[in-house]
Amino acid sequence: MSATQPTPLTALARTAEPHTALRRFLALDAVVTGANGLAYLAASGPLGRLLGVDPGLLLGLGAFLAVFAAGVGLLSSRARPAALPVRAVVEANLTWAVVSCVALALWLSPTAVGAVWTVLQAVTVAGFAALQHLALKACRD
């Protein structure tokens, strides 16, 4: 498939250029993840009560997410993000989604809001992984 021919993936990114689509999906991931991380850092107490999760856990997750988001943001700033780091982001996102669901089933005892939040963020992160994987694949075609 040629880079000038729109595909459903590149149409979603509103570009026919696969590298631009990949960069946009990485940037969106960085913004959403960064906002989530900063919220956990700034409001771990109130969010912990709302979600039924230990505020200390949210602080740790917030720090991790902020650093991860900065790395993904840096990767998205490259004209042609390298495949290996993109694959690492995809795998990290998939791992996050799976571990979130496992934690919900085995370790966490969240409020109803916390349970819904955990599932929604896992689905969102898995969606980022899928979009990034497909965009990376389109860059190689």
Short mmCIF file of all heavy atoms in Angstrom, two decimals, residues 30-89:
data_model
loop_
_atom_site.label_atom_id
_atom_site.label_comp_id
_atom_site.label_asym_id
_atom_site.label_seq_id
_atom_site.Cartn_x
_atom_site.Cartn_y
_atom_site.Cartn_z
N ALA A 30 1.35 10.33 25.01
CA ALA A 30 2.15 11.12 25.95
C ALA A 30 1.30 12.14 26.70
O ALA A 30 1.44 12.31 27.91
CB ALA A 30 3.30 11.81 25.21
N VAL A 31 0.41 12.81 26.00
CA VAL A 31 -0.43 13.83 26.63
C VAL A 31 -1.38 13.20 27.64
O VAL A 31 -1.50 13.66 28.79
CB VAL A 31 -1.21 14.63 25.57
CG1 VAL A 31 -2.30 15.49 26.20
CG2 VAL A 31 -0.26 15.50 24.76
N VAL A 32 -2.07 12.15 27.25
CA VAL A 32 -3.04 11.49 28.14
C VAL A 32 -2.32 10.87 29.34
O VAL A 32 -2.75 11.04 30.48
CB VAL A 32 -3.87 10.45 27.36
CG1 VAL A 32 -4.72 9.61 28.30
CG2 VAL A 32 -4.74 11.14 26.32
N THR A 33 -1.23 10.17 29.08
CA THR A 33 -0.48 9.54 30.16
C THR A 33 0.12 10.58 31.09
O THR A 33 0.08 10.43 32.32
CB THR A 33 0.63 8.63 29.58
OG1 THR A 33 0.01 7.65 28.75
CG2 THR A 33 1.43 7.96 30.67
N GLY A 34 0.66 11.64 30.53
CA GLY A 34 1.22 12.71 31.34
C GLY A 34 0.18 13.38 32.21
O GLY A 34 0.42 13.65 33.40
N ALA A 35 -0.99 13.65 31.65
CA ALA A 35 -2.07 14.27 32.44
C ALA A 35 -2.49 13.35 33.57
O ALA A 35 -2.71 13.80 34.71
CB ALA A 35 -3.25 14.60 31.53
N ASN A 36 -2.59 12.07 33.29
CA ASN A 36 -2.96 11.09 34.31
C ASN A 36 -1.90 11.05 35.41
O ASN A 36 -2.22 11.08 36.61
CB ASN A 36 -3.12 9.72 33.65
CG ASN A 36 -3.85 8.73 34.50
OD1 ASN A 36 -4.71 9.08 35.30
ND2 ASN A 36 -3.53 7.47 34.34
N GLY A 37 -0.64 11.01 35.02
CA GLY A 37 0.45 10.97 35.98
C GLY A 37 0.49 12.22 36.85
O GLY A 37 0.65 12.13 38.07
N LEU A 38 0.33 13.38 36.23
CA LEU A 38 0.35 14.62 37.00
C LEU A 38 -0.84 14.71 37.95
O LEU A 38 -0.71 15.20 39.08
CB LEU A 38 0.38 15.83 36.06
CG LEU A 38 1.68 16.00 35.26
CD1 LEU A 38 1.56 17.17 34.29
CD2 LEU A 38 2.88 16.17 36.19
N ALA A 39 -1.99 14.21 37.52
CA ALA A 39 -3.16 14.20 38.41
C ALA A 39 -2.90 13.30 39.62
O ALA A 39 -3.22 13.67 40.76
CB ALA A 39 -4.39 13.72 37.65
N TYR A 40 -2.30 12.15 39.39
CA TYR A 40 -1.97 11.24 40.50
C TYR A 40 -0.97 11.90 41.45
O TYR A 40 -1.06 11.74 42.66
CB TYR A 40 -1.39 9.93 39.98
CG TYR A 40 -2.37 8.99 39.33
CD1 TYR A 40 -1.92 7.82 38.74
CD2 TYR A 40 -3.74 9.23 39.30
CE1 TYR A 40 -2.79 6.93 38.13
CE2 TYR A 40 -4.62 8.35 38.69
CZ TYR A 40 -4.14 7.21 38.12
OH TYR A 40 -5.00 6.33 37.52
N LEU A 41 0.01 12.62 40.90
CA LEU A 41 1.00 13.28 41.73
C LEU A 41 0.40 14.44 42.52
O LEU A 41 0.70 14.62 43.70
CB LEU A 41 2.16 13.80 40.87
CG LEU A 41 3.12 12.75 40.33
CD1 LEU A 41 4.07 13.35 39.31
CD2 LEU A 41 3.91 12.11 41.47
N ALA A 42 -0.43 15.23 41.87
CA ALA A 42 -0.97 16.44 42.51
C ALA A 42 -2.12 16.16 43.46
O ALA A 42 -2.33 16.93 44.41
CB ALA A 42 -1.42 17.43 41.42
N ALA A 43 -2.87 15.11 43.22
CA ALA A 43 -4.09 14.88 44.01
C ALA A 43 -4.20 13.43 44.44
O ALA A 43 -5.29 12.86 44.40
CB ALA A 43 -5.30 15.31 43.19
N SER A 44 -3.10 12.84 44.87
CA SER A 44 -3.15 11.42 45.23
C SER A 44 -4.11 11.15 46.39
O SER A 44 -4.77 10.11 46.41
CB SER A 44 -1.75 10.89 45.57
OG SER A 44 -1.21 11.58 46.68
N GLY A 45 -4.22 12.08 47.33
CA GLY A 45 -5.13 11.88 48.47
C GLY A 45 -6.59 11.84 48.05
O GLY A 45 -7.28 10.83 48.27
N PRO A 46 -7.08 12.93 47.45
CA PRO A 46 -8.48 12.93 47.03
C PRO A 46 -8.80 11.86 45.99
O PRO A 46 -9.85 11.22 46.05
CB PRO A 46 -8.69 14.33 46.44
CG PRO A 46 -7.60 15.17 46.98
CD PRO A 46 -6.46 14.24 47.27
N LEU A 47 -7.90 11.65 45.04
CA LEU A 47 -8.14 10.60 44.04
C LEU A 47 -8.10 9.22 44.67
O LEU A 47 -8.87 8.34 44.29
CB LEU A 47 -7.11 10.69 42.90
CG LEU A 47 -7.32 11.82 41.90
CD1 LEU A 47 -6.17 11.89 40.91
CD2 LEU A 47 -8.64 11.67 41.18
N GLY A 48 -7.21 9.04 45.63
CA GLY A 48 -7.15 7.76 46.33
C GLY A 48 -8.46 7.44 47.03
O GLY A 48 -8.95 6.31 46.99
N ARG A 49 -9.04 8.45 47.67
CA ARG A 49 -10.34 8.25 48.34
C ARG A 49 -11.44 7.97 47.32
O ARG A 49 -12.28 7.09 47.52
CB ARG A 49 -10.70 9.46 49.20
CG ARG A 49 -9.85 9.56 50.46
CD ARG A 49 -10.32 10.66 51.39
NE ARG A 49 -10.14 12.01 50.85
CZ ARG A 49 -8.98 12.67 50.86
NH1 ARG A 49 -7.89 12.12 51.36
NH2 ARG A 49 -8.91 13.90 50.37
N LEU A 50 -11.45 8.71 46.22
CA LEU A 50 -12.47 8.53 45.19
C LEU A 50 -12.38 7.14 44.55
O LEU A 50 -13.40 6.47 44.36
CB LEU A 50 -12.34 9.59 44.10
CG LEU A 50 -13.26 9.46 42.90
CD1 LEU A 50 -14.71 9.72 43.31
CD2 LEU A 50 -12.85 10.41 41.79
N LEU A 51 -11.15 6.72 44.26
CA LEU A 51 -10.94 5.46 43.56
C LEU A 51 -10.84 4.26 44.49
O LEU A 51 -10.93 3.12 44.05
CB LEU A 51 -9.68 5.54 42.69
CG LEU A 51 -9.66 6.64 41.63
CD1 LEU A 51 -8.30 6.70 40.96
CD2 LEU A 51 -10.77 6.46 40.62
N GLY A 52 -10.63 4.52 45.78
CA GLY A 52 -10.45 3.43 46.73
C GLY A 52 -9.10 2.77 46.61
O GLY A 52 -8.95 1.57 46.79
N VAL A 53 -8.09 3.58 46.28
CA VAL A 53 -6.73 3.10 46.07
C VAL A 53 -5.81 3.87 47.02
O VAL A 53 -6.01 5.06 47.26
CB VAL A 53 -6.29 3.31 44.60
CG1 VAL A 53 -4.86 2.89 44.38
CG2 VAL A 53 -7.22 2.56 43.67
N ASP A 54 -4.79 3.18 47.54
CA ASP A 54 -3.85 3.82 48.45
C ASP A 54 -3.18 5.03 47.79
O ASP A 54 -2.67 4.91 46.67
CB ASP A 54 -2.79 2.79 48.85
CG ASP A 54 -1.77 3.38 49.79
OD1 ASP A 54 -2.10 3.54 50.98
OD2 ASP A 54 -0.63 3.65 49.33
N PRO A 55 -3.19 6.19 48.46
CA PRO A 55 -2.55 7.38 47.88
C PRO A 55 -1.06 7.20 47.59
O PRO A 55 -0.54 7.76 46.62
CB PRO A 55 -2.76 8.46 48.95
CG PRO A 55 -3.93 8.00 49.74
CD PRO A 55 -3.88 6.50 49.71
N GLY A 56 -0.38 6.39 48.40
CA GLY A 56 1.04 6.11 48.14
C GLY A 56 1.23 5.38 46.82
O GLY A 56 2.19 5.65 46.08
N LEU A 57 0.34 4.45 46.52
CA LEU A 57 0.39 3.76 45.23
C LEU A 57 0.19 4.75 44.09
O LEU A 57 0.91 4.71 43.08
CB LEU A 57 -0.67 2.65 45.17
CG LEU A 57 -0.80 1.91 43.84
CD1 LEU A 57 0.48 1.18 43.48
CD2 LEU A 57 -1.97 0.93 43.89
N LEU A 58 -0.78 5.66 44.26
CA LEU A 58 -1.03 6.65 43.21
C LEU A 58 0.18 7.57 43.02
O LEU A 58 0.49 7.95 41.89
CB LEU A 58 -2.28 7.47 43.53
CG LEU A 58 -3.61 6.74 43.39
CD1 LEU A 58 -4.76 7.68 43.69
CD2 LEU A 58 -3.76 6.11 42.02
N LEU A 59 0.86 7.93 44.11
CA LEU A 59 2.06 8.76 43.98
C LEU A 59 3.13 8.03 43.16
O LEU A 59 3.73 8.62 42.26
CB LEU A 59 2.62 9.11 45.36
CG LEU A 59 2.04 10.33 46.04
CD1 LEU A 59 2.61 10.47 47.45
CD2 LEU A 59 2.29 11.58 45.23
N GLY A 60 3.37 6.78 43.48
CA GLY A 60 4.35 6.00 42.73
C GLY A 60 3.97 5.85 41.27
O GLY A 60 4.81 6.02 40.37
N LEU A 61 2.69 5.54 41.04
CA LEU A 61 2.23 5.41 39.65
C LEU A 61 2.32 6.74 38.93
O LEU A 61 2.68 6.79 37.75
CB LEU A 61 0.79 4.90 39.62
CG LEU A 61 0.58 3.45 40.06
CD1 LEU A 61 -0.91 3.12 40.11
CD2 LEU A 61 1.31 2.49 39.15
N GLY A 62 1.99 7.82 39.63
CA GLY A 62 2.07 9.15 39.02
C GLY A 62 3.48 9.49 38.58
O GLY A 62 3.69 10.02 37.48
N ALA A 63 4.46 9.19 39.43
CA ALA A 63 5.85 9.46 39.07
C ALA A 63 6.26 8.63 37.86
O ALA A 63 6.88 9.14 36.92
CB ALA A 63 6.75 9.16 40.26
N PHE A 64 5.91 7.34 37.88
CA PHE A 64 6.23 6.47 36.75
C PHE A 64 5.57 7.00 35.47
O PHE A 64 6.22 7.10 34.42
CB PHE A 64 5.78 5.04 37.02
CG PHE A 64 5.86 4.17 35.80
CD1 PHE A 64 7.08 3.67 35.37
CD2 PHE A 64 4.72 3.88 35.05
CE1 PHE A 64 7.17 2.88 34.22
CE2 PHE A 64 4.80 3.11 33.91
CZ PHE A 64 6.03 2.60 33.48
N LEU A 65 4.30 7.32 35.54
CA LEU A 65 3.57 7.78 34.35
C LEU A 65 4.14 9.09 33.81
O LEU A 65 4.22 9.27 32.59
CB LEU A 65 2.09 7.93 34.66
CG LEU A 65 1.33 6.62 34.91
CD1 LEU A 65 -0.10 6.92 35.35
CD2 LEU A 65 1.35 5.73 33.68
N ALA A 66 4.54 9.99 34.69
CA ALA A 66 5.11 11.26 34.24
C ALA A 66 6.41 11.04 33.48
O ALA A 66 6.64 11.63 32.42
CB ALA A 66 5.33 12.19 35.43
N VAL A 67 7.26 10.16 34.00
CA VAL A 67 8.53 9.85 33.33
C VAL A 67 8.27 9.13 32.01
O VAL A 67 8.87 9.45 30.97
CB VAL A 67 9.45 9.03 34.26
CG1 VAL A 67 10.67 8.51 33.51
CG2 VAL A 67 9.87 9.86 35.46
N PHE A 68 7.36 8.15 32.04
CA PHE A 68 7.02 7.41 30.82
C PHE A 68 6.47 8.36 29.76
O PHE A 68 6.86 8.30 28.58
CB PHE A 68 6.01 6.31 31.15
CG PHE A 68 5.63 5.45 29.97
CD1 PHE A 68 6.48 4.46 29.51
CD2 PHE A 68 4.42 5.62 29.32
CE1 PHE A 68 6.15 3.66 28.43
CE2 PHE A 68 4.07 4.83 28.24
CZ PHE A 68 4.94 3.85 27.79
N ALA A 69 5.58 9.25 30.16
CA ALA A 69 4.99 10.21 29.22
C ALA A 69 6.05 11.12 28.61
O ALA A 69 6.00 11.42 27.41
CB ALA A 69 3.92 11.05 29.92
N ALA A 70 7.02 11.53 29.42
CA ALA A 70 8.10 12.37 28.88
C ALA A 70 8.89 11.61 27.82
O ALA A 70 9.22 12.16 26.76
CB ALA A 70 9.01 12.83 30.02
N GLY A 71 9.17 10.34 28.08
CA GLY A 71 9.88 9.53 27.10
C GLY A 71 9.10 9.33 25.82
O GLY A 71 9.64 9.44 24.71
N VAL A 72 7.81 9.06 25.96
CA VAL A 72 6.96 8.87 24.78
C VAL A 72 6.84 10.19 24.01
O VAL A 72 6.87 10.21 22.78
CB VAL A 72 5.57 8.31 25.17
CG1 VAL A 72 4.65 8.23 23.95
CG2 VAL A 72 5.72 6.93 25.80
N GLY A 73 6.73 11.29 24.75
CA GLY A 73 6.68 12.60 24.10
C GLY A 73 7.95 12.90 23.32
O GLY A 73 7.89 13.41 22.19
N LEU A 74 9.09 12.56 23.90
CA LEU A 74 10.36 12.75 23.20
C LEU A 74 10.41 11.89 21.94
O LEU A 74 10.82 12.36 20.87
CB LEU A 74 11.53 12.40 24.13
CG LEU A 74 12.92 12.56 23.54
CD1 LEU A 74 13.20 14.02 23.19
CD2 LEU A 74 13.96 12.06 24.54
N LEU A 75 9.97 10.66 22.05
CA LEU A 75 9.93 9.77 20.89
C LEU A 75 9.02 10.33 19.81
O LEU A 75 9.34 10.27 18.62
CB LEU A 75 9.46 8.37 21.33
CG LEU A 75 9.47 7.26 20.29
CD1 LEU A 75 10.86 7.05 19.71
CD2 LEU A 75 8.93 5.98 20.92
N SER A 76 7.89 10.90 20.21
CA SER A 76 6.94 11.45 19.23
C SER A 76 7.50 12.68 18.52
O SER A 76 7.01 13.05 17.45
CB SER A 76 5.61 11.79 19.89
OG SER A 76 5.71 12.98 20.64
N SER A 77 8.52 13.31 19.10
CA SER A 77 9.09 14.51 18.48
C SER A 77 10.06 14.19 17.35
O SER A 77 10.46 15.08 16.61
CB SER A 77 9.80 15.36 19.54
OG SER A 77 11.00 14.73 19.97
N ARG A 78 10.41 12.93 17.20
CA ARG A 78 11.32 12.52 16.13
C ARG A 78 10.57 12.47 14.80
O ARG A 78 9.43 12.03 14.75
CB ARG A 78 11.90 11.12 16.41
CG ARG A 78 12.57 11.00 17.75
CD ARG A 78 13.86 11.76 17.76
NE ARG A 78 14.59 11.50 18.98
CZ ARG A 78 15.17 12.45 19.69
NH1 ARG A 78 15.10 13.70 19.31
NH2 ARG A 78 15.84 12.14 20.78
N ALA A 79 11.22 12.91 13.75
CA ALA A 79 10.58 12.90 12.43
C ALA A 79 10.20 11.48 12.01
O ALA A 79 9.15 11.25 11.42
CB ALA A 79 11.50 13.52 11.39
N ARG A 80 11.07 10.54 12.34
CA ARG A 80 10.82 9.12 12.04
C ARG A 80 11.21 8.32 13.28
O ARG A 80 12.36 7.88 13.40
CB ARG A 80 11.61 8.67 10.82
CG ARG A 80 11.12 9.31 9.54
CD ARG A 80 11.91 8.77 8.34
NE ARG A 80 11.36 9.32 7.12
CZ ARG A 80 10.49 8.67 6.34
NH1 ARG A 80 10.10 7.46 6.65
NH2 ARG A 80 10.04 9.23 5.25
N PRO A 81 10.26 8.13 14.19
CA PRO A 81 10.58 7.40 15.42
C PRO A 81 11.13 6.01 15.10
O PRO A 81 10.62 5.30 14.24
CB PRO A 81 9.24 7.29 16.15
CG PRO A 81 8.42 8.41 15.59
CD PRO A 81 8.87 8.57 14.17
N ALA A 82 12.20 5.65 15.79
CA ALA A 82 12.84 4.34 15.57
C ALA A 82 11.90 3.22 16.00
O ALA A 82 11.15 3.35 16.97
CB ALA A 82 14.15 4.27 16.34
N ALA A 83 11.97 2.11 15.29
CA ALA A 83 11.05 1.01 15.53
C ALA A 83 11.23 0.38 16.91
O ALA A 83 10.24 0.06 17.57
CB ALA A 83 11.23 -0.06 14.44
N LEU A 84 12.47 0.19 17.35
CA LEU A 84 12.70 -0.49 18.63
C LEU A 84 12.07 0.26 19.81
O LEU A 84 11.34 -0.35 20.60
CB LEU A 84 14.19 -0.73 18.85
CG LEU A 84 14.56 -1.51 20.11
CD1 LEU A 84 13.93 -2.90 20.08
CD2 LEU A 84 16.06 -1.59 20.25
N PRO A 85 12.29 1.57 19.95
CA PRO A 85 11.63 2.26 21.06
C PRO A 85 10.10 2.28 20.93
O PRO A 85 9.39 2.21 21.94
CB PRO A 85 12.19 3.68 21.02
CG PRO A 85 13.37 3.63 20.14
CD PRO A 85 13.26 2.42 19.28
N VAL A 86 9.61 2.36 19.70
CA VAL A 86 8.15 2.32 19.52
C VAL A 86 7.61 0.97 19.96
O VAL A 86 6.59 0.89 20.65
CB VAL A 86 7.74 2.64 18.06
CG1 VAL A 86 6.25 2.42 17.86
CG2 VAL A 86 8.12 4.07 17.70
N ARG A 87 8.29 -0.09 19.59
CA ARG A 87 7.86 -1.43 20.03
C ARG A 87 7.90 -1.53 21.56
O ARG A 87 7.03 -2.15 22.17
CB ARG A 87 8.72 -2.52 19.39
CG ARG A 87 8.32 -2.82 17.96
CD ARG A 87 8.92 -4.12 17.45
NE ARG A 87 10.37 -4.13 17.43
CZ ARG A 87 11.12 -3.75 16.40
NH1 ARG A 87 10.54 -3.36 15.28
NH2 ARG A 87 12.42 -3.79 16.47
N ALA A 88 8.89 -0.90 22.18
CA ALA A 88 8.98 -0.90 23.65
C ALA A 88 7.78 -0.18 24.25
O ALA A 88 7.22 -0.63 25.26
CB ALA A 88 10.29 -0.26 24.11
N VAL A 89 7.37 0.93 23.64
CA VAL A 89 6.19 1.66 24.12
C VAL A 89 4.94 0.80 23.96
O VAL A 89 4.11 0.70 24.87
CB VAL A 89 6.03 3.02 23.39
CG1 VAL A 89 4.68 3.65 23.66
CG2 VAL A 89 7.16 3.96 23.78
#
